[in-house]
Amino acid sequence: MFILMFLSLVSGIFTFIAFWAVLFTGKYPESMFNFQVKLLKWNYRVNARLLNLADGYPKFGLDVEDEALVLEIEYPESLSRGTLLLRVFFGFFYILIPHGFLLMFRMIGTMFLIFLAFWVVLFTGKYPENWHKFNVGTQRWGLRVNLYFNFMTDVYPPFSEKPSEEL
C-alpha cells in the first residue's frame, strides 16, 4: 500500500503533465498513459483481493499480469481539447455530482454485500454470483469515471456496470 500511495503521487504529477500535453498537442503522452494503466491494474488487483472478489495474494509490481483480473484500456490516438477544458471547468457538475452521487449508493451496497458475502463464503464456500456481478460492476463503473476524469478517454462514462462489449 505504501508503494501504491507513492506511485499515486507520481500518477497525479503525470495527470497534470498530461493535461498540458493534451491541451497543446491533443495527445496523451503514450509512456505516461502506459504507466497509468499499469498502476490502475495494480490498484485493481489489490482492490479485488481486499473486496474478496478474487482469491489469493495480489501479484506485486507494475509489469505483471493477473489471471483473475482482465483490464484492457486502449490508448486514444487523439483527445479533444474542448472536452478536456469542459472537464476541467465543469467536470464537478457533470461528472462528479451525477456519477459520484450514484456511485456513493452503489459503494454502500457493495460494502454491505461484501460483509454478507464473507459470511456466506465462510459457511457455504461459494460467493453468490449476482452479488459478485454487482460488486464487480461497481468497480467497473468507478474505473470508467476515473479514466474520463483523468483525461485518459473522451468517452463519457455510461451509467452502467456492464462490460464494454455489452454497451
Side-chain angles (χ1 to χ4, degrees):
M1 294 303 280
F2 176 75
I3 293 171
L4 283 175
M5 283 190 334
F6 173 73
L7 290 175
S8 293
L9 293 173
V10 173
S11 173
I13 293 167
F14 281 1
T15 299
F16 178 77
I17 294 168
F19 164 78
W20 294 103
V22 172
L23 186 62
F24 289 112
T25 67
K27 295 183 76 115
Y28 200 110
E30 193 167 0
S31 60
M32 289 182 188
F33 185 88
N34 292 334
F35 172 82
Q36 301 282 34
V37 169
K38 289 176 183 180
L39 183 59
L40 284 170
K41 285 182 179 183
W42 192 358
N43 269 313
Y44 278 86
R45 278 196 309 269
V46 171
N47 284 336
R49 278 23 182 241
L50 287 174
L51 300 176
N52 293 323
L53 298 174
D55 289 332
Y57 190 79
K59 294 185 179 181
F60 192 83
L62 291 171
D63 293 321
V64 298
E65 292 297 322
D66 188 352
E67 53 280 343
L69 176 82
V70 176
L71 180 60
E72 295 177 7
I73 302 169
E74 283 188 39
Y75 175 72
E77 292 301 321
S78 65
L79 294 167
S80 168
R81 294 176 181 122
T83 303
L84 176 83
L85 293 174
L86 183 68
R87 279 181 273 195
V88 169
F89 294 118
F90 301 108
F92 180 78
F93 298 109
Y94 85 100
I95 301 170
L96 291 183
I97 290 178
H99 283 284
F101 182 75
L102 294 173
L103 278 170
M104 179 183 66
F105 287 108
R106 281 202 60 121
M107 284 305 298
I108 291 169
T110 294
M111 291 300 133
F112 180 71
L113 288 179
I114 287 169
F115 175 77
L116 292 177
F118 171 81
W119 296 103
V120 171
V121 171
L122 184 64
F123 291 110
T124 67
K126 293 183 130 188
Y127 199 113
E129 187 177 344
N130 287 336
W131 295 1
H132 188 270
K133 286 181 182 178
F134 180 86
N135 293 339
V136 169
T138 301
Q139 296 300 309
R140 186 179 289 130
W141 188 349
L143 174 66
R144 289 183 183 135
V145 171
N146 188 10
L147 291 173
Y148 185 75
F149 200 70
N150 289 310
F151 320 121
M152 294 178 72
T153 183
D154 276 344
V155 178
Y156 188 77
F159 289 88
S160 173
E161 74 283 349
K162 294 180 181 174
S164 297
E165 335 43 89
E166 293 182 20
L167 293 175

